[in-house]
Amino acid sequence: MRQISSLLQGLARSLSVGRERRGDGGEGKAAAPAVLRTSGTVWGEGSETFAAVCSRRGEKGTNQDCSIVWEGFGCQEDTIFCGIFDGHGPWGHYVAKAVRDSLPASLLCHWQEALALASLIDGGEKKLSDCRFDLWEQSYAAACAAVDEELRRSRRLDAVHSGCTALSVVKQGDLMVVANVGDSRAVLATASDDGAALAAVQLTVDFKPNLPQEKERIRRCNGQVYCHADEPGLHRVWGPGRDSPGLAMSRAFGDYSVKDYGVISAPEVTQRRITSRDQFVILATDGVWDVLSNEEAVQIVAGTPEREKAAKRLVECAVRAWRRRRRGIAVDDCSAICLFFHSPPS
């Protein structure tokens, strides 16, 4: 099994590196499988899905956000992987890129292993379609644990006081699997019963330290959760008896200075069956959601005539909202992926 795992991991990495295509702002289609690691668009041949990506550096220095869109994930035409990563700390941008490069390949490796094992149950008579989500859920859990351990052992990166969040979706046919580690957010746009308006459905939980279940876990591990006097309302994670590191989320990759105090890298994995009423999903870092509501984001994307410009317009609106609604506060990095499910009307 270890040899199979190594073989699959090598295959995933070779596809990721060897077949990458950079976005060109929407001019034409990219051949599947295609991997996008920059702002741009991906539209796989034979697929109705269309992804627009944009990232904008804030006013705090290096852009610590990064993303990936992998059309034809696992060499399957009906499968797409989208992930968005938000780094923090002095090495945060390196940690985010390391997780971005490792997580999809690790997930694919564990999913193929789980698929192979499931197909052997009852002599192969078990219907894999009935347990697709279960396989993705256990694969995500194993992949996140493996990536975090790999990061811990890395000699190239110092992730003791740096880390990153990770939000990703795998859309396989009509099944969409969402996995969240941290405080980025996924929001679905779905049509109302009469089809006259779009509703915003939040698919993930922002894992902040003051959430009751997160706060309880941190305190059980002797960590502390409180706000500084000069940051009212902003809860952070602190080590016992010390004024550090002040982590603003309760789940993250890296951040080993507080991993013993309740900060975890375990993902929350959920599923959604995509119907004809569901139009698109937005994945965005907290820089977007700090200043825009779910409803505002959905209306911005839906109101953009050209799909290839949807993510860019959403990010631009978020930057303007920062300067209008949070004057005197440095604009955060803002990044978004807009994944459309259906071909636009002719």
Side-chain angles (χ1 to χ4, degrees):
M1 183 58 70
R2 183 173 299 175
Q3 292 176 336
I4 295 175
S5 175
S6 300
L7 178 63
L8 294 175
Q9 186 83 10
L11 172 63
R13 289 187 184 278
S14 66
L15 284 172
S16 176
V17 175
R19 301 298 297 274
E20 178 174 357
R21 292 178 179 267
R22 293 175 63 88
D24 59 0
E27 299 294 333
K29 299 179 181 180
V35 180
L36 176 69
R37 290 187 178 89
T38 61
S39 295
T41 60
V42 170
W43 188 357
E45 295 287 353
S47 172
E48 288 189 341
T49 57
F50 178 90
V53 186
C54 183
S55 182
R56 183 72 58 85
R57 179 174 64 89
E59 299 173 345
K60 300 178 181 179
T62 303
N63 187 353
Q64 295 190 306
D65 290 356
C66 63
S67 60
I68 183 171
V69 175
W70 185 337
E71 177 73 45
F73 188 58
C75 297
Q76 299 185 90
E77 291 184 357
D78 67 339
T79 305
I80 187 170
F81 176 94
C82 299
I84 201 160
F85 309 88
D86 184 355
H88 51 264
W91 287 67
H93 49 301
Y94 293 115
V95 175
K97 289 178 181 178
V99 175
R100 175 198 65 185
D101 294 342
S102 297
L103 182 59
S106 181
L107 174 64
L108 180 57
C109 177
H110 284 94
W111 176 74
Q112 288 173 326
E113 286 183 358
L115 197 65
L117 290 174
S119 66
L120 297 176
I121 297 177
D122 297 329
E125 296 179 359
K126 185 176 181 179
K127 294 182 179 179
L128 294 179
S129 59
D130 295 337
C131 61
R132 270 198 303 168
F133 172 70
D134 294 335
L135 296 179
W136 281 115
E137 186 176 28
Q138 69 185 59
S139 299
Y140 256 117
C144 288
V147 170
D148 204 35
E149 183 59 27
E150 178 184 347
L151 194 62
R152 182 193 294 270
R153 295 181 178 182
S154 174
R155 295 183 178 181
R156 298 182 301 106
L157 292 176
D158 180 2
V160 175
H161 300 290
S162 301
C164 81
T165 64
L167 169 63
S168 63
V169 302
V170 173
K171 183 182 179 297
Q172 187 177 51
D174 66 345
L175 174 66
M176 184 170 66
V177 180
V178 185
N180 184 35
V181 178
D183 57 357
S184 292
R185 186 185 304 171
V187 173
L188 177 76
T190 187
S192 58
D193 292 336
D194 58 6
L198 284 179
V201 180
Q202 184 168 327
L203 301 178
T204 56
V205 174
D206 300 342
F207 284 114
K208 302 291 189 182
N210 60 316
L211 286 178
Q213 70 274 18
E214 302 295 292
K215 189 174 183 179
E216 176 62 24
R217 183 187 67 247
I218 293 167
R219 288 186 168 176
R220 284 201 312 267
C221 296
N222 296 320
Q224 301 180 85
V225 176
Y226 60 85
C227 306
H228 259 313
D230 57 348
E231 293 181 319
L234 180 56
H235 292 80
R236 295 182 180 272
V237 181
W238 312 89
R242 52 195 176 101
D243 200 20
S244 66
L247 193 63
M249 67 283 303
S250 57
R251 301 192 186 196
F253 288 93
D255 293 306
Y256 299 114
S257 63
V258 284
K259 275 291 163 68
D260 291 336
Y261 304 125
V263 173
I264 60 175
S265 60
E268 180 186 61
V269 186
T270 57
Q271 65 176 324
R272 172 89 182 195
R273 291 285 176 177
I274 301 300
T275 70
S276 58
R277 291 171 55 180
D278 299 328
Q279 301 302 307
F280 57 83
V281 65
I282 301 169
L283 279 66
T285 55
D286 64 331
V288 172
W289 305 115
D290 282 345
V291 291
L292 295 178
S293 68
N294 298 343
E295 292 72 22
E296 287 174 323
V298 164
Q299 292 306 315
I300 290 168
V301 172
T304 304
E306 299 168 280
R307 287 183 170 185
E308 61 267 24
K309 297 180 180 178
K312 180 180 179 181
R313 183 162 179 257
L314 177 61
V315 167
E316 289 175 343
C317 288
V319 172
R320 288 198 295 269
W322 267 96
R323 292 170 178 161
R324 184 176 67 253
R325 299 175 180 178
R326 297 202 170 191
R327 293 181 181 178
I329 301 177
V331 178
D332 196 5
D333 302 328
C334 295
S335 301
I337 299 174
C338 300
L339 176 62
F340 296 88
F341 303 136
H342 312 293
S343 297
S346 59

